[in-house]
């Protein structure tokens, strides 16, 4: 379980396909996260819950399996890319964002990122199967960042980004056409399931 509050931006130092060419092995330089982690720990990488397979010299290693590659943008990460990182929530820590599983539901596409006062306005295109779980002022996780939906339209939504989020996460580097990992609100999915069974 995560909160969507990014603790560190890591840098990809290696991204290699596995022997079968279906999965990807990642090595991410992240001194602060590595210092508090051990092999077997769950860590959200760009919003995707992965298990650390090795921790050494300020870096973490992960294996992303075919299911993960199919549902996220992790298979397109290249050396030098920055990713948002959040270690799993520990008992007693504040729940500052919202309930995030790290189970990415799909990929959205950036329509625009434009300045808005001291912050910015992020516009995303989402497939209908994701958009149906979104409501104005509802919760959404983008690249591992807990956010609030500011506006909805037929093809997507808009999010108001505060200056702190722009400084502390990778969202300020987004460009039109970029793909982003999206996790919709867990409660919305359960509510739909209960209403249709």
């Amino acid at each position: 379980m995560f909160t969507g509050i990014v603790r560190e931006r890591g840098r990809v130092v290696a991204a290699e396909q596995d022997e079968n060419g279906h999965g990807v092995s990642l090595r991410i330089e992240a001194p602060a996260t590595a210092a508090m982690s051990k092999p077997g720990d769950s860590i959200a990488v760009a919003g995707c819950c992965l298990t650390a397979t090795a921790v050494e010299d300020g870096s973490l290693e992960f294996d992303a399996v075919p299911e993960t590659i199919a549902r996220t943008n992790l298979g397109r990460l290249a050396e030098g890319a920055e990713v948002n990182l959040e270690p799993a929530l520990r008992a007693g820590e504040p729940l500052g964002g919202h309930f995030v599983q790290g189970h990415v539901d799909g990929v959205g596409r950036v329509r625009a990122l434009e300045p808005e006062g001291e912050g910015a306005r992020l516009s995303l295109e989402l497939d209908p199967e994701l958009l149906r779980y979104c409501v104005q002022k509802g919760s959404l996780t983008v690249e591992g960042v807990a956010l609030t939906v500011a506006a909805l339209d037929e093809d997507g939504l808009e999010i108001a980004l505060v200056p702190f989020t722009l400084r502390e996460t990778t969202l300020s580097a987004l460009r039109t056409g970029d793909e982003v990992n999206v996790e919709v609100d867990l409660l919305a999915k359960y509510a739909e399931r209960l209403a249709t069974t």
Side-chain angles (χ1 to χ4, degrees):
M1 182 67 71
F2 305 93
T3 66
I5 304 298
V6 172
R7 301 301 179 189
E8 183 177 19
R9 284 194 311 253
R11 186 175 61 86
V12 177
V13 293
E16 301 172 354
Q17 284 198 334
D18 63 17
E19 296 175 0
N20 300 319
H22 301 298
V24 172
S25 294
L26 297 170
R27 185 169 189 206
I28 298 172
E29 184 179 66
T33 304
M36 62 171 57
S37 303
K38 62 185 184 305
D41 283 355
S42 294
I43 298 169
V45 178
C48 181
C49 179
L50 297 177
T51 301
T53 58
V55 180
E56 56 184 25
D57 300 326
S59 294
L60 305 117
E61 294 183 15
F62 306 93
D63 291 326
V65 298
E67 170 70 9
T68 301
I69 299 303
R71 289 186 178 266
T72 72
N73 63 13
L74 296 188
R76 292 178 282 287
L77 288 177
E79 186 177 328
E82 281 197 328
V83 290
N84 296 319
L85 299 173
E86 181 189 357
L89 184 66
R90 292 180 166 90
E93 290 183 335
L95 184 62
H98 64 262
F99 290 115
V100 176
Q101 291 185 295
H103 301 166
V104 172
D105 292 299
V107 174
R109 189 173 300 275
V110 176
R111 297 189 294 198
L113 178 65
E114 300 174 345
E116 185 177 61
E118 295 296 316
R121 192 93 164 178
L122 175 62
S123 176
L124 296 178
E125 177 185 337
L126 290 184
D127 289 337
E129 59 265 23
L130 295 180
L131 194 57
R132 73 173 188 239
Y133 296 113
C134 300
V135 296
Q136 192 169 5
K137 301 303 179 187
S139 299
L140 187 73
T141 306
V142 177
E143 289 293 298
V145 184
L147 300 168
T148 302
V149 176
L152 289 165
D153 58 59
E154 290 184 0
D155 301 314
L157 50 80
E158 295 181 1
I159 297 163
L161 301 176
V162 300
F164 183 85
T165 300
L166 292 170
R167 286 194 309 271
E168 300 297 322
T169 74
T170 63
L171 299 187
S172 62
L174 292 175
R175 299 291 177 262
T176 300
D178 284 351
E179 293 184 335
V180 292
N181 294 327
V182 173
E183 180 182 335
V184 299
D185 186 16
L186 174 67
L187 299 178
K189 291 188 285 186
Y190 276 116
E192 180 187 62
R193 177 69 173 166
L194 289 169
T196 58
T197 56

